[in-house]
Amino acid sequence: MENDWMADTCIEKELDGRNYYLYRHGKNSQKLPIFYWGIMQNQKDAVDKVISYLKAYASDADFVLVAYVSENWNDAFSPWAAPPVFGTESFGGKADQTLQWLIERIPDIESDISEYITNTQERLRFIVGYSLAGLFSLWAYCESSVFSGVVSCSGSFWYDGFLEYIHKQEAAYDRNTKSFIYLSLGDKEDRTKNCRMSSVKSNTEAIYKLICEKNNNLKSTFEWNQGGHFSEPDLRVAKGINWVLKNCV
């Protein structure tokens, strides 16, 4: 008999001292998209909002959402060290540790849903993030073949050296298997006096062209949203996940 939490209920779990939220919707499709979404602490309300959106706009979809919590945002999602943008809090460059934990613990996380997956059901894993976690999601996709695609919303593509990094990643994102990439950005996000962050628009457009416009085995989109960086982040994440759901199965 199916556990109660499997019936459209989000539960909180813990693994290696890290909390994550697990949600399953639908069952028994040919392909099962599984979304790994990096969030801050105390963002349960954001998870609930994304789930509510997907229940309304992707009601027939079969998917799993895993929202894993980061205790130190600037360190956990930065691929290399960088100086502060505001104040004194720098970036520690510990994204490799986050990715290693995620890849190593995927079997443990997915063991909770394994009994509800048929032997013929294909798992498609996607890495999801907003802001710095959006940058991490694209970086993680380039670094590992585990993920079938990316949802990067308002990604911090202004980050020092990231555009140069993407220039060198053609082999990583030009894959033999079908992949899916969703990028989005607010139309006012580059309107800032901070010279580093003001490059986010031009960098995002350049990254999209580098990755998405010359790969025939990749389905992608770049969506513009109204507003600045902090305008409806939960909605932007939900829209990105929904786009993948409509295109990957």
Side-chain angles (χ1 to χ4, degrees), residues 10-244:
C10 181
I11 62 166
E12 184 175 4
K13 305 203 73 175
E14 183 270 335
L15 187 61
D16 298 335
R18 186 193 294 268
N19 292 340
Y20 64 94
Y21 300 96
L22 182 62
Y23 173 79
R24 171 78 193 273
H25 182 82
K27 56 183 179 180
N28 298 331
S29 66
Q30 184 178 1
K31 296 181 180 180
L32 178 64
I34 305 175
F35 297 91
Y36 285 88
W37 173 25
I39 62 173
M40 292 181 177
Q41 294 187 78
N42 304 315
Q43 275 199 295
K44 177 59 164 58
D45 59 335
V47 176
D48 290 338
K49 289 177 182 178
V50 169
I51 289 172
S52 294
Y53 180 96
L54 295 174
K55 289 172 72 173
Y57 292 95
S59 58
D60 295 331
D62 183 6
F63 67 92
V64 173
L65 178 65
V66 182
Y68 61 97
V69 179
S70 166
E71 294 187 358
N72 191 316
W73 181 266
N74 277 17
D75 287 353
F77 294 124
S78 53
W80 45 81
V85 176
F86 300 108
T88 60
E89 187 176 0
S90 59
F91 300 90
K94 297 182 179 180
D96 57 339
Q97 297 179 21
T98 304
L99 180 59
Q100 181 180 359
W101 176 86
L102 194 56
I103 292 174
E104 290 179 352
R105 294 310 182 194
I106 278 175
D108 298 313
I109 294 171
E110 294 182 9
S111 65
D112 284 319
I113 61 172
S114 59
E115 65 180 290
Y116 304 102
I117 301 175
T118 65
N119 292 331
T120 59
Q121 193 169 30
E122 180 184 2
R123 303 184 195 189
L124 300 176
R125 299 181 182 93
F126 299 92
I127 186 80
V128 181
Y130 191 91
S131 190
L132 187 62
L135 176 140
F136 168 79
S137 67
L138 185 57
W139 174 85
Y141 172 79
C142 291
E143 291 289 313
S144 171
S145 60
V146 168
F147 303 105
S148 298
V150 180
V151 174
S152 177
C153 303
S154 296
S156 300
F157 295 154
W158 51 263
Y159 196 82
D160 301 355
F162 193 70
L163 180 58
E164 291 76 12
Y165 166 83
I166 292 296
H167 269 286
K168 302 175 182 178
Q169 299 307 307
E170 185 170 353
Y173 50 70
D174 187 10
R175 305 184 181 185
N176 294 326
T177 57
K178 186 71 175 179
S179 299
F180 304 86
I181 292 183
Y182 175 94
L183 303 184
S184 71
L185 191 67
D187 58 9
K188 296 180 180 178
E189 292 197 49
D190 63 325
R191 301 180 189 179
T192 172
K193 294 180 180 179
N194 186 293
C195 61
R196 288 164 69 191
M197 299 183 73
S198 64
S199 66
V200 68
K201 177 182 177 181
S202 59
N203 282 10
T204 303
E205 291 173 331
I207 286 170
Y208 182 77
K209 289 182 179 179
L210 284 168
I211 293 179
C212 302
E213 293 190 350
K214 57 183 179 181
N215 189 343
N216 294 328
N217 210 28
L218 176 70
K219 190 171 182 64
S220 64
T221 191
F222 179 10
E223 182 171 11
W224 287 99
N225 294 296
Q226 292 185 340
H229 186 69
F230 299 103
S231 298
E232 300 183 308
D234 309 330
L235 176 60
R236 294 184 187 182
V237 169
K239 287 165 62 179
I241 293 175
N242 190 37
W243 179 87
V244 172

